[in-house]
Amino acid sequence: KYIATCVRCGEEDLCPGRVRIWDVESLTLHAIGEQSPGTLPVLAWQPNGRTLCVANCLSDAQVEEMAMLRLKRRDAGGQGQAPEVRHVGAWKRELRRRQEAADGESAGPSRVFIYERNGLQHGDFAVPGDGLRIEQMAWSGDSRTLAVVVCEERERHGEHQETRSVQIWCRSNWKWYNKWTRTFGCGEKVLMAWHEGPGGPALTTWTTKSPGAAWVISSSKLAWDYDVSDYGTVAVISGERLMVTPMRQCMIPPPLCAVELLCGRPISCVLFSRMGDGREVIGTLLDDGRLAVATCPSADDWESLLDGDVDHGDGEKNGAAEDGTVSNRVVMPVIFDGVGNHQFRHAAFLGTNHVVFVGQDASGVDSLFHYRFATPADGSDRELHFENCVELEACVSRLVRSGESTVFFELEDGRCRTYTVDGAAGTMGTVESVSGFGVRCDVVRIASLSCGTDEETTLGGYGGFGGDCPAQDVQRLCALGLDQASGRLFRNGVLLASDATSMGIHARSAGGPHLLYTTRTNLLKTLPLFGEDKDAMIRPIEDGCVLVSLPETSVEVVMQAPRGNLEIIRPRSLVLPAVHGALDRLDYSAAWRLATINRVDMNDLVNYGWPKLLDNVRAFIDGVGRDTEVAGFLQSLEVPPASADSDDGPVSHKRARLLEVCKAFRDEVSGQRAWLRTELTSRTKCGEIGKALLRVKEVKEMDMNNSTNDDGEMPDHPSAEVGLKHVLLHNPENKVYEAALGEYELQLSYMVVAHIQRDPGEYLAQLQEFAVIENQHMRMAAIDKHLGRFDKAVQNLFDAGSFDDALELASSKGLLKHLLALVDSSVGADPNVSQKRHVVLKALGDQLSTGGKYEDAALAYIAAGDLEQALRSYRLASAWRPAMTLAARLGKDAAYVKDLARRLCDDLEQFQPVEAARINLEYLGNLPAAVRQFAQGGAWREALRLAVGNRQVHLVGEVRGSDSPRDSQSDGTDALMEVLVSVASESASRLLEGFVEDADRVEKYWSRLRDLRDKRVAMDVLESERDAGALDDDAFIDTASVATDMSMFSMLTDATATSTSTFASFASTVGGRRSGKRQPKKKSKIRRGSPEEEDQLTRHLLTLLPKANICEECGQLTEFLVYIGHEDDAVRLQASLKGLIDRATAAADDVLAFPPPGRKMFLPYAVREGIFDEAGPATLLRVDHHVASVADAELQVQVQEGKTAMSQTGWKWEMLRRT
C-alpha cells in the first residue's frame, strides 16, 4: 500500500537525509520523517506493513551525543527509586528491563532506524563494529527476522580490503539480537533475498569475487530453536555475545542474564556438555571456524565466574577480543588449525573429550568431522586433534548430542543418523541409520535410555522401542521432531500431534521421562515419554507461550510469553511422582517442601504407601522440623463427616485413617512442650477439643510453677496462651468455649473467654450463674442442660439424689431407658431401687403409649406390675391373644370377656379378617360370621371345612350333574352359603382384574425401561466420542436432549401402582396398630429420561411380582370354584396369574442381566484400595467394569424372594392347565 524513498541533502555519507512515505494508489505523499544525519538509501519494509527500516551511518560526535542522551534517560528513570530499596513494583522492574535492553545496544556508527507508517521514528539498533557500512536489508516473509548485508572496510598491509557478511537480526524483549552471521571472503560482492520455501522462509545469497566472475548461489533455511542444556541453562546468541542464564539457579527475565560470554567473533551455534564431576561446559562455534569453550566452576552456578577468582583464559593467545570495560564477560576460546576452510555449521560435544562438527569441504558435500581434545606432552593447554571424517549423503539440518558417546543428526530429506564413538575400541566412530521423521523438522530433542544400567530404573522403565533389551550396555534413543510450520510432532518417526508449537523432554523426572509440548490452542500437554496423546494431562496457558527450559532434578517448567516475561509452572504429573519418590526415600523434608510449595493435598502424604507414615512419624517430624508446620500438616488433613457414608464406605475408612494418624503423632509428641501445637491439633482434629484444653490447662499450671520469661513463655517453648490461641485459630470460638465448659472447668472457660474476640459480658454472667451452685453434680447438670447434653444431665441429677428432676428431664427428652439403666446400676446402693424402677417403667409405658407403640407400652406396664394398663394397651394394639390372656389372669367375668372379644373382632375385621374369624369361633361362637371372614381373608379351605363340618352345604345351583344323587339336606337355600358364594364371585373378579391390570403394567414399565437403557448406552458412546474429539458440542447437546416433560411416575406409585396391597394380610407389627391419621406425602416428581426414572421403574417392576399370599389365595379360590362347579372361571383365573408371573419373571431376569446405574454392584472401599495397591489402577478399572455389570445384592435378593414365594405356594393345578 505504501512505498518509501530516502532523499539526501548531499553525496557525503554523513549528509542528513529524510524519509518520505508515498501512497501507491494515489501517488501522493503520505508522511515525511524527520531529518536525520547519515541516512543511507537502504530501506526495507516489514511485510506486514507495520514498520520501515532505514540504514544510518553516524559520525563519532553523533555517536557520543547519542550515548550521552541514553545515559541521561537512564539517570532520569532511576531517580524515582531510592538506592537502598531492593523490592520495587512490577512496572519499575519492567522499566529497568527496558533500560537495560537499551543500554545493551552498543553505540556504533552504523545503525538501523525504525519508522512507523506515519513517519515517526520507533526506535533503532546499532550494528556493532567500526568501519561498517550497511549495503542491503530485507525482511523475511513472516516479518520475524531482518537480514542485513554489511561491509567492513579496513586497511591491511597498505591495501584497502572489504569483507562482507550477512547478519540475521530479530527483536524480542525490547532488544535487537544478532542471531546468525555468515562472513564471506575478502573482496566478494554479496546480494541476498528471502524466498518462501516448503518449510518456511529461506535466505538466498549471490556472491562473486570480481565483476566478471560467475555468481555463486547458496540458500540457507533458518529455523527457530532454543539452546538449553540438561541442567536447564539457557544460552541466547547476540552477535559475539552469549547470554547465559541457569534457570535451575535463578530466574532472570530477558534481556538480562546471569553472565555473558564474550567470544570476539559472531557465534554460529552453541553446544553443551558436562564434566565427570557435574560441572557444565558451554562451547560456541564461531563464524571463522574456531571453538570457544567455557567451564562452570560448580555444576551450573555460572554466576560464580563473577567472583574474579576464575582463570578466564588468555585472550591474546587465543585470538579473541576482550572487553575490558565489562566486568562480567568470560572468554575461554580454544583455537584449532585447518578447519576454517570447511565452513562448519553445526557442532556437538561427545562427552567432554570429543567434538563433532558438520561442514563442507571443497566439493560442497556435507561431512562429519570428529576431533578429540588432547593434552600435549609438555603439559600446556589442551588442543584439538583431528580423528575422523565421514562423508554424508545429504546436507545436515540438525545435530543434537545424545548421551555421552552418540550424536544424532537429521538430514535435509528427513532421514536420521547417529554417530557413535566406542570408547573400548578406540576413538573411531560409526554412522548408523535410525528411524527418521519423514520430513525436515526444525526442532529436535533426543532422550537416551540405557539398558543394563541403573539409569533405566531411574527413567521409569518405559517401553516403546520394542524387543528385549540386549544384555550388554547399549543406549536406545527416543527422537522427537517438531515441524514448526505445520505443527506436526513426531516421536521415533510416528506422528504424535499435529498442532504443536514447542516441546521439551524432562528425562530425569521422578515418575520417569516425560514429554511436554504446547499447542496452537494454548494448551500445555504432559504425558509419559512413550505415552499416548489421549493420556496427556492438559493445562491451559497464555496465548503464545512456548517451552523454554525443563531443568532436570526439578519439577519446574519454564515458559516464555510473547511479551518476553518468564513463567514457571509445576505440572502435577511431575510434582506427584517427585513427592512420592521423596516418601519412598523417607525424605520427608523434601516431600513436605514439594507438597507445600505446589499445594499438594496433604492427604496424599498419608495415603501413599499406607501405613508407612505410622511407622515413620518421628522421621516426618524431624524432617519438617517445626512445630507450626507439623501442626499445619495435621490441620490440613481432610475430616469427612461421620454421617457421610456407611461403616464400610470410603468416608469411614478415611476417618479411621485420620484418627490413626492423629493418635500416632500425639503419642510421639505427648508431653513435649516444644511440640505443643502439634499435640493440640492431634486432639482438635479428632473432635477432642475438651482434652486439648485440658492440656492447655496443664501447661498453664506448669508455667505458674516454673520460671518464665517476661512474656509468660518458657524459653524455646510455646506458652499455654500460645496453645490456646492456636486452638482458637482453627476452631470456632463458640465451639471452643462449649468444649471448655463441657469439661466442667470454669476457670478454663474464663481463660477462653479472655482470648476470644467478643464482648465477655454475656459469658461472664453465665459463668457466675454456674459458680453459685454449690452442689458439684447439680452444677454439672446445669452445665449439661445448657450444652444440650441431656443424657449426662440426667446422670448428674440422679447422682445428686434429685430423682424427681431426673425423671422429669428424662420424660421430656425421651431418656427414660437411660434413667432405667442408671436405676438398675444402683442396685444394692439404694434401698428404694424397686420403687424407683416401677415409677420409671410406668412413665416409659405412658411415653410409648403416647407414641402409638401400644404393644411395647403393654410390656413396660407388665414389668411395672400394672396389668390393667397393659390390658388396655393390648386392646388398643388389637393384639387379641395377649389381651385375652391378661383378661383371664385378672379374673374378668364372662360378660367382660365377651365384650372385649366383640371389640377386638370389630377392630380386626377390616384389616385382618382371618384373625377376626378365629375370635368369632373361640369366644363369640358366631360360625356364620367366622365362615364369611375366612372367605374374605382368602382362607377358602378353612371356610369350606367349617361349613361342611357343620352340615351346612346348601349351595345355589347344582353341585353335580342332573344324574347325581342329591343330599337330603340340600333342599332350599341357606343364607350363609349364598354369602360364601357371593364372596367367591367378588374375589375372583377382583383377582382376575388385578392380574390383567398388573400384566399390562409390567409390559408398559418393561418397555419403557428398555428404551431408557438403549438411550443410556447410546449416550455413553456419544460421550466417549465427544471426549475423543469426534463430536462437537452442539451435536452432543441435540442428541442428549431427551424429552423434558415430567414423568407420570411419582413416589406415590409405590403404593398405588399395583393391586397387591388390596390382597395383602396386614399382620400386627411391633409398633402396634397403625395410626388412624395418614401423614401427607410429598410428591417427588421424576424427570423423564433421568437415571432416577430408570431406578424407579425397576422398583415398580419388582413390586409387581405376585406375593406368596396372593398366590396362596388364588390357589384356594380356584379349588373352591372347581368344587362349586365353576371350572371355567378357575381356568381363566389361574391362566391370568400364570401370565402375570411369566411376564414379571422375564422382566426381573432382564433387570438382573442389565441392572440400572443405581442398582449395580460395587466393591467395598477396602477391597478397591487393596486391588489398587497390589495390582495397580489398570486392574482396578477392569475389575470395576466387570463388577458394574452385576446387579447389587439387594436387587438379587428381591428377585429371588419373589421367585421363591411364587414357587413354594400351591397355586398351580395340573387339571386347570390348558397349554
Side-chain angles (χ1 to χ4, degrees):
K1 187 176 180 180
Y2 300 102
I3 60 174
T5 60
C6 178
V7 179
R8 301 175 63 186
C9 300
E11 296 183 0
E12 298 292 334
D13 290 342
L14 300 180
C15 293
R18 189 185 299 271
V19 176
R20 288 178 170 84
I21 300 176
W22 305 80
D23 191 294
V24 175
E25 296 180 356
S26 62
L27 296 180
T28 57
L29 186 62
H30 176 72
I32 301 177
E34 61 178 300
Q35 183 172 309
S36 176
T39 302
L40 300 178
V42 180
L43 299 85
W45 272 108
Q46 198 173 8
N48 56 21
R50 294 179 181 176
T51 59
L52 170 69
C53 294
V54 181
N56 194 284
C57 184
L58 301 178
S59 64
D60 294 339
Q62 291 168 342
V63 171
E64 184 68 22
E65 181 182 356
M66 183 171 291
M68 294 299 296
L69 181 61
R70 291 182 184 275
L71 183 61
K72 290 180 180 180
R73 284 205 307 259
R74 184 186 65 183
D75 295 340
Q79 291 177 359
Q81 178 64 47
E84 65 275 5
V85 178
R86 299 180 59 87
H87 300 283
V88 297
W91 67 273
K92 292 185 178 180
R93 290 197 299 269
E94 187 67 18
L95 178 61
R96 288 183 178 181
R97 190 156 70 99
R98 296 194 184 191
Q99 291 174 351
E100 181 70 17
D103 294 341
E105 304 288 353
S106 60
S110 297
R111 308 189 68 84
V112 176
F113 286 180
I114 313 299
Y115 290 89
E116 296 179 356
R117 287 177 296 184
N118 56 10
L120 297 179
Q121 186 178 345
H122 189 71
D124 65 298
F125 67 92
V127 179
D130 296 330
L132 295 183
R133 183 179 69 255
I134 301 175
E135 294 185 345
Q136 186 183 358
M137 294 187 301
W139 280 95
S140 63
D142 56 4
S143 300
R144 297 183 64 185
T145 55
L146 175 67
V148 180
V149 177
V150 298
C151 177
E152 181 182 2
E153 300 177 351
R154 67 178 63 180
E155 295 290 338
R156 177 172 295 183
H157 304 296
E159 295 181 2
H160 179 75
Q161 296 181 355
E162 293 183 352
T163 303
R164 289 174 176 82
S165 61
V166 177
Q167 300 178 359
I168 301 297
W169 291 81
C170 69
R171 186 175 186 268
S172 179
N173 314 316
W174 296 279
K175 179 180 174 64
W176 285 88
Y177 298 89
N178 180 7
K179 306 302 294 183
W180 182 75
T181 300
R182 180 181 178 184
T183 304
F184 297 90
C186 180
E188 289 187 329
K189 303 293 183 180
V190 179
L191 296 177
M192 59 89 183
W194 290 95
H195 71 273
E196 289 295 328
L203 181 66
T204 302
T205 59
W206 293 264
T207 61
T208 182
K209 293 185 177 180
S210 62
W215 289 84
V216 178
I217 303 175
S218 62
S219 180
S220 301
K221 182 180 178 182
L222 305 178
W224 292 96
D225 199 356
Y226 295 93
D227 292 319
V228 185
S229 70
D230 294 337
Y231 275 137
T233 301
V234 177
V236 179
I237 298 175
S238 181
E240 62 185 26
R241 301 174 184 270
L242 185 69
M243 295 178 286
V244 179
T245 301
M247 292 296 178
R248 199 178 67 153
Q249 301 289 342
C250 56
M251 294 299 300
I252 301 178
L256 307 180
C257 63
V259 66
E260 286 189 7
L261 304 183
L262 183 61
C263 300
R265 291 294 301 176
I267 301 171
S268 297
C269 68
V270 180
L271 49 159
F272 295 94
S273 183
R274 192 183 303 178
M275 303 291 288
D277 55 1
R279 292 181 298 158
E280 191 168 52
V281 179
I282 296 181
T284 58
L285 178 63
L286 308 183
D287 68 335
D288 59 0
R290 294 180 300 172
L291 181 67
V293 179
T295 303
C296 187
S298 174
D300 59 341
D301 187 11
W302 287 96
E303 287 187 302
S304 61
L305 290 173
L306 307 181
D307 298 338
D309 298 333
V310 181
D311 183 11
H312 294 166
D314 188 355
E316 182 66 25
K317 172 184 175 182
N318 297 292
E322 296 220 20
D323 188 352
T325 62
V326 184
S327 61
N328 63 340
R329 304 299 191 255
V330 180
V331 179
M332 295 187 66
V334 176
I335 296 179
F336 53 94
D337 299 328
V339 298
N341 296 329
H342 295 302
Q343 298 182 4
F344 289 161
R345 303 192 314 274
H346 306 284
F349 281 116
L350 278 175
T352 56
N353 295 322
H354 300 267
V355 185
V356 174
F357 300 92
V358 173
Q360 295 181 354
D361 55 15
S363 62
V365 179
D366 269 2
S367 298
L368 189 145
F369 299 86
H370 177 194
Y371 284 79
R372 177 175 59 87
F373 286 104
T375 303
D378 58 0
S380 58
D381 293 338
R382 295 192 306 170
E383 298 177 352
L384 276 176
H385 289 179
F386 176 78
E387 293 292 338
N388 188 19
C389 177
V390 179
E391 185 174 323
L392 305 175
E393 65 269 32
C395 293
V396 176
S397 61
R398 280 289 180 276
L399 181 66
V400 184
R401 173 176 173 266
S402 175
E404 295 298 324
S405 60
T406 304
V407 291
F408 175 96
F409 55 94
E410 178 194 20
L411 305 180
E412 286 286 348
D413 54 6
R415 291 178 295 170
C416 298
R417 301 288 185 268
T418 59
Y419 180 80
T420 303
V421 175
D422 189 353
T427 59
M428 190 66 67
T430 57
V431 176
E432 297 179 357
S433 299
V434 293
S435 299
F437 305 122
V439 296
R440 181 180 181 273
C441 292
D442 304 315
V443 182
V444 176
R445 295 288 184 268
I446 303 297
S448 62
L449 309 181
S450 298
C451 299
T453 65
D454 295 337
E455 186 179 4
E456 185 180 14
T457 305
T458 305
L459 294 177
Y462 289 91
F465 290 98
D468 297 331
C469 184
Q472 65 273 18
D473 182 10
V474 297
Q475 288 193 342
R476 301 183 298 178
L477 302 181
C478 177
L480 296 170
L482 172 62
D483 181 13
Q484 293 179 333
S486 62
R488 289 180 295 177
L489 176 61
F490 298 91
R491 181 180 59 199
N492 288 340
V494 179
L495 181 65
L496 183 63
S498 57
D499 62 343
T501 57
S502 65
M503 59 91 175
I505 299 176
H506 203 299
R508 303 290 178 181
S509 62
H514 277 71
L515 166 65
L516 294 89
Y517 68 93
T518 58
T519 67
R520 294 175 178 176
T521 55
N522 303 319
L523 297 175
L524 173 64
K525 294 188 175 182
T526 307
L527 68 156
L529 185 57
F530 300 104
E532 298 297 331
D533 187 63
K534 60 183 179 63
D535 301 327
M537 297 185 66
I538 300 176
R539 177 189 184 123
I541 57 177
E542 187 178 351
D543 186 11
C545 279
V546 293
L547 290 171
V548 174
S549 175
L550 287 77
E552 66 177 28
T553 69
S554 172
V555 297
E556 295 180 346
V557 175
V558 182
M559 306 188 70
Q560 186 174 20
R563 59 182 178 273
N565 60 300
L566 299 178
E567 296 181 359
I568 298 178
I569 63 174
R570 300 177 179 89
R572 277 292 186 265
S573 54
L574 301 181
V575 171
L576 292 181
V579 174
H580 296 164
L583 293 176
D584 290 335
R585 301 189 305 269
L586 300 182
D587 187 0
Y588 290 105
S589 177
W592 171 255
R593 184 170 58 255
L594 285 169
T596 52
I597 292 176
N598 298 286
R599 304 181 66 181
V600 176
D601 186 1
M602 293 302 168
N603 292 276
D604 190 64
L605 302 183
V606 175
N607 298 330
Y608 182 77
W610 176 263
K612 181 186 293 186
L613 180 62
L614 299 183
D615 301 329
N616 299 277
V617 173
R618 174 47 60 182
F620 183 93
I621 294 175
D622 295 340
V624 175
R626 296 182 59 186
D627 178 35
T628 54
E629 294 188 0
V630 177
F633 162 72
L634 295 177
Q635 188 64 40
S636 63
L637 297 180
E638 180 184 0
V639 186
S643 59
D645 200 0
S646 62
D647 294 338
D648 193 35
V651 173
S652 61
H653 282 270
K654 290 179 181 179
R655 190 170 186 83
R657 185 169 294 183
L658 172 67
L659 296 177
E660 290 186 53
V661 171
C662 291
K663 182 180 183 302
F665 276 83
R666 183 168 59 250
D667 295 342
E668 190 66 36
V669 302
S670 180
Q672 303 178 25
R673 284 287 300 277
W675 302 96
L676 178 62
R677 299 180 185 88
T678 301
E679 183 179 359
L680 296 178
T681 305
S682 67
R683 290 288 188 185
T684 59
K685 200 63 179 175
C686 300
E688 300 176 357
I689 301 179
K691 294 183 179 180
L693 294 176
L694 291 178
R695 173 59 177 161
V696 171
K697 177 186 176 183
E698 179 183 350
V699 172
K700 183 64 175 178
E701 294 175 351
M702 292 172 57
D703 291 345
M704 295 176 64
N705 297 330
N706 299 324
S707 60
T708 60
N709 55 24
D710 296 338
D711 298 331
E713 184 174 348
M714 294 290 294
D716 301 329
H717 293 87
S719 64
E721 287 74 12
V722 172
L724 180 58
K725 290 179 181 178
H726 179 77
V727 174
L728 289 170
L729 177 64
H730 298 288
N731 298 275
E733 296 175 349
N734 288 340
K735 193 173 183 180
V736 176
Y737 170 73
E738 292 175 356
L741 202 59
E743 297 295 332
Y744 312 114
E745 294 286 347
L746 299 184
Q747 293 181 352
L748 184 60
S749 302
Y750 178 79
M751 185 178 176
V752 173
V753 170
H755 285 81
I756 61 177
Q757 303 297 323
R758 295 186 182 182
D759 183 12
E762 53 178 325
Y763 297 102
L764 293 178
Q766 189 178 79
L767 292 176
Q768 290 175 358
E769 292 179 2
F770 295 142
V772 298
I773 303 177
E774 297 181 357
N775 188 291
Q776 179 181 0
H777 289 289
M778 295 299 292
R779 181 170 63 249
M780 295 168 63
I783 293 176
D784 289 331
K785 286 192 290 185
H786 170 73
L787 297 177
R789 302 186 305 188
F790 299 108
D791 54 342
K792 292 186 177 181
V794 170
Q795 182 174 357
N796 285 318
L797 288 174
F798 183 80
D799 294 340
S802 181
F803 177 76
D804 294 338
D805 295 336
L807 179 63
E808 180 181 359
L809 180 60
S811 300
S812 61
K813 301 301 179 182
L815 297 172
L816 287 172
K817 290 184 287 184
H818 177 61
L819 180 59
L820 181 61
L822 294 176
V823 172
D824 293 338
S825 64
S826 63
V827 174
D830 188 355
N832 299 322
V833 169
S834 178
Q835 180 181 359
K836 292 180 180 179
R837 193 173 190 279
H838 289 169
V839 172
V840 174
L841 286 172
K842 190 175 184 306
L844 179 60
D846 295 341
Q847 187 180 76
L848 294 173
S849 180
T850 304
K853 298 181 178 181
Y854 300 113
E855 290 183 277
D856 295 331
L859 195 61
Y861 288 136
I862 292 175
D866 192 347
L867 299 183
E868 289 288 347
Q869 283 293 104
L871 177 60
R872 281 191 290 270
S873 296
Y874 280 130
R875 157 70 181 81
L876 293 175
S878 300
W880 66 275
R881 288 181 176 84
M884 302 306 292
T885 301
L886 286 180
R889 181 178 177 181
L890 291 172
K892 299 297 184 180
D893 55 14
Y896 180 87
V897 171
K898 189 173 184 179
D899 181 67
L900 178 61
R902 186 179 297 107
R903 292 184 179 183
L904 290 171
C905 186
D906 294 340
D907 293 340
L908 295 172
E909 184 175 9
Q910 181 178 1
F911 300 105
Q912 302 181 49
V914 173
E915 299 298 323
R918 299 189 187 283
I919 296 176
N920 274 319
L921 282 177
E922 295 185 24
Y923 293 96
L924 299 179
N926 191 348
L927 181 61
V931 171
R932 184 182 69 254
Q933 289 167 349
F934 275 125
Q936 290 176 347
W940 292 98
R941 288 182 174 179
E942 184 68 14
L944 187 60
R945 183 188 68 82
L946 292 175
V948 172
N950 288 274
R951 308 300 296 170
Q952 295 184 3
V953 193
H954 302 289
L955 307 179
V956 179
E958 295 292 336
V959 176
R960 297 179 176 84
S962 57
D963 55 347
S964 301
R966 300 168 62 94
D967 192 278
S968 60
Q969 297 183 6
S970 62
D971 297 334
T973 61
D974 185 88
L976 178 61
M977 294 303 103
E978 291 180 0
V979 172
L980 190 62
V981 174
S982 176
V983 172
S985 177
E986 293 176 359
S987 298
S989 300
R990 173 175 53 81
L991 289 176
L992 183 62
E993 182 181 356
F995 295 155
V996 174
E997 182 179 355
D998 286 351
D1000 294 339
R1001 287 178 177 174
V1002 168
E1003 191 64 34
K1004 180 179 179 180
Y1005 295 161
W1006 191 13
S1007 176
R1008 175 60 180 168
L1009 187 62
R1010 290 195 297 265
D1011 292 342
L1012 289 177
R1013 182 195 308 150
D1014 295 340
K1015 290 181 180 180
R1016 174 168 52 82
V1017 173
M1019 290 283 291
D1020 293 341
V1021 174
L1022 291 176
E1023 185 174 358
S1024 61
E1025 293 178 354
R1026 184 191 66 170
D1027 294 340
L1031 188 66
D1032 58 89
D1033 294 339
D1034 294 336
F1036 181 79
I1037 294 174
D1038 292 340
T1039 308
S1041 59
V1042 191
T1044 56
D1045 56 332
M1046 303 304 292
S1047 173
M1048 62 180 175
F1049 303 111
S1050 67
M1051 301 301 292
L1052 292 175
T1053 54
D1054 286 338
T1056 60
T1058 66
S1059 58
T1060 55
S1061 59
T1062 309
F1063 323 136
S1065 298
F1066 295 93
S1068 178
T1069 61
V1070 177
R1073 185 177 181 181
R1074 295 193 303 175
S1075 175
K1077 296 183 179 180
R1078 291 188 176 182
Q1079 298 295 332
K1081 295 183 179 180
K1082 295 182 179 180
K1083 293 185 178 181
S1084 177
K1085 294 293 184 180
I1086 301 175
R1087 186 167 296 277
R1088 186 177 179 86
S1090 64
E1092 290 78 9
E1093 183 187 6
E1094 192 172 353
D1095 185 69
Q1096 194 67 18
L1097 285 171
T1098 301
R1099 296 180 184 275
H1100 290 331
L1101 281 176
L1102 296 181
T1103 59
L1104 292 176
L1105 288 172
K1107 303 298 184 291
N1109 61 329
I1110 300 301
C1111 296
E1112 182 68 26
E1113 180 183 1
C1114 181
Q1116 294 188 26
L1117 180 57
T1118 53
E1119 183 183 30
F1120 181 77
L1121 290 175
V1122 173
Y1123 191 86
I1124 63 176
H1126 292 270
E1127 182 178 334
D1128 294 340
D1129 294 337
V1131 170
R1132 188 164 57 255
L1133 183 60
Q1134 179 170 299
S1136 298
L1137 178 58
K1138 182 178 184 301
L1140 173 61
I1141 290 177
D1142 291 343
R1143 298 305 297 166
T1145 303
D1149 293 338
D1150 182 69
V1151 169
L1152 285 180
F1154 304 99
R1159 304 300 299 274
K1160 294 181 178 180
M1161 183 177 292
F1162 65 93
L1163 294 176
Y1165 180 77
V1167 176
R1168 299 184 76 255
E1169 188 178 33
I1171 296 175
F1172 182 86
D1173 293 339
E1174 295 179 5
T1179 303
L1180 179 60
L1181 289 176
R1182 290 194 297 269
V1183 173
D1184 282 340
H1185 179 73
H1186 176 73
V1187 172
S1189 62
V1190 181
D1192 60 10
E1194 181 183 359
L1195 184 58
Q1196 295 185 38
V1197 169
Q1198 290 178 354
V1199 174
Q1200 188 60 37
E1201 287 180 350
K1203 292 182 177 180
T1204 302
M1206 292 181 294
S1207 62
Q1208 292 181 353
T1209 53
W1211 63 273
K1212 293 186 294 184
W1213 305 108
E1214 288 293 335
M1215 64 88 56
L1216 297 180
R1217 294 184 178 180
R1218 294 297 182 261
T1219 57

